[in-house]
Amino acid sequence: SNNELNKWTVLDLGAGLGLCSAVAAKHGMNIISTDSDSQALVLLEENVRRNCNEDNGNTSVHTLDWISAAEQADMTTNPVFEELEKYGGSDLVILSDVIYSATKPAWKALIVLLQKLRSQRMRLLCNSPATVERKRCDSTHTPASDPLVLLSYTQRRRDMSPQDEAEFFTMLRKEGMEAVLVPSGQIPHGETYMLTTLFELRWVN
């Protein structure tokens, strides 16, 4: 729906070339695409621009370093969080294939960043309780106070050991989150055999 009250606000973390952002833009959502790679940001901005028109939602592209953002005390001065303020926080956070060896030093910071996004949404919800309905694949609903967080994960045996792969999910559990597998059969247009696994990251408290 293009009704402003029902329009999702999507934050794409580690967006790369922006495929997920482009698809979300095509569906009329408000898109905030981020990456920390300066070369990727140029292509990201172009791809988002090409896939958005006046009938779609608002789009923007920002540089965002997870470690710097996690260490930032006052998030109101962060451009990404500042923009999210006007939308009432993020309805959906996309993490598309961002867990691999090169990002390992920032995994902890990513989880801290997710906590900050949740805190922002909870605070803004007190001032403006109207939110969009976000139905999960298992027919339950994401709590109004939480962003819906989707992680697509591709196993990279040449890049990381099984122990390395498990470390991120162990970090999640220690921080009060869990990764819930989204069955491929419940993914619209999903394939029978998929190299990439989709998880919903949920807060357990």
Side-chain angles (χ1 to χ4, degrees):
S1 170
N2 283 336
N3 185 311
E4 285 294 337
L5 292 177
N6 296 319
K7 187 174 291 183
W8 286 40
T9 296
V10 179
L11 175 62
D12 196 349
L13 296 175
L17 299 181
L19 175 60
C20 293
S21 293
V23 171
K26 285 284 190 181
H27 284 79
M29 300 179 183
N30 295 317
I31 312 298
I32 302 175
S33 301
T34 69
D35 205 285
S36 60
D37 187 292
S38 58
Q39 292 182 324
L41 282 166
V42 176
L43 296 174
L44 172 59
E45 191 162 14
E46 177 65 15
N47 287 337
V48 171
R49 183 190 64 80
R50 287 185 178 186
N51 285 278
C52 183
N53 58 52
E54 60 184 13
D55 295 325
N56 295 144
N58 299 313
T59 62
S60 64
V61 174
H62 295 276
T63 179
L64 183 67
D65 178 82
W66 299 345
I67 295 177
S68 298
E71 294 174 347
Q72 189 172 346
D74 183 9
M75 298 308 295
T76 60
T77 61
N78 182 287
V80 173
F81 278 74
E82 187 176 4
E83 185 166 358
L84 284 169
E85 286 280 324
K86 67 182 181 182
Y87 295 125
S90 53
D91 296 305
L92 170 63
V93 178
I94 296 176
L95 302 169
S96 179
D97 206 14
V98 297
I99 303 303
Y100 52 95
S101 63
T103 64
K104 187 175 180 180
W107 289 354
K108 173 67 174 179
L110 172 60
I111 297 172
V112 171
L113 183 56
L114 292 176
Q115 301 286 13
K116 289 188 174 187
L117 290 166
R118 186 195 193 196
S119 295
Q120 181 192 42
R121 184 176 174 86
M122 292 176 69
R123 173 177 55 80
L124 294 172
L125 186 65
C126 293
N127 301 325
S128 179
T131 60
V132 296
E133 184 178 87
R134 294 157 304 150
K135 190 174 183 179
R136 294 164 167 162
C137 288
D138 61 6
S139 297
T140 63
H141 289 80
T142 301
S145 60
D146 296 349
L148 172 61
V149 183
L150 294 179
L151 167 72
S152 64
Y153 172 67
T154 304
Q155 290 184 327
R156 301 167 182 266
R157 291 299 189 217
R158 295 180 181 179
D159 184 65
M160 293 194 301
S161 69
Q163 292 76 20
D164 289 331
E165 293 176 343
E167 188 173 336
F168 175 75
F169 297 96
T170 300
M171 287 183 181
L172 281 175
R173 290 192 293 271
K174 288 182 178 178
E175 297 301 323
M177 300 184 71
E178 63 178 350
V180 179
L181 176 67
V182 179
S184 59
Q186 295 183 13
I187 302 174
H189 310 295
E191 300 175 1
T192 303
Y193 300 101
M194 298 179 65
L195 296 177
T196 298
T197 305
L198 184 64
F199 293 94
E200 181 189 346
L201 306 187
R202 299 179 183 177
W203 282 270
V204 295
N205 52 39

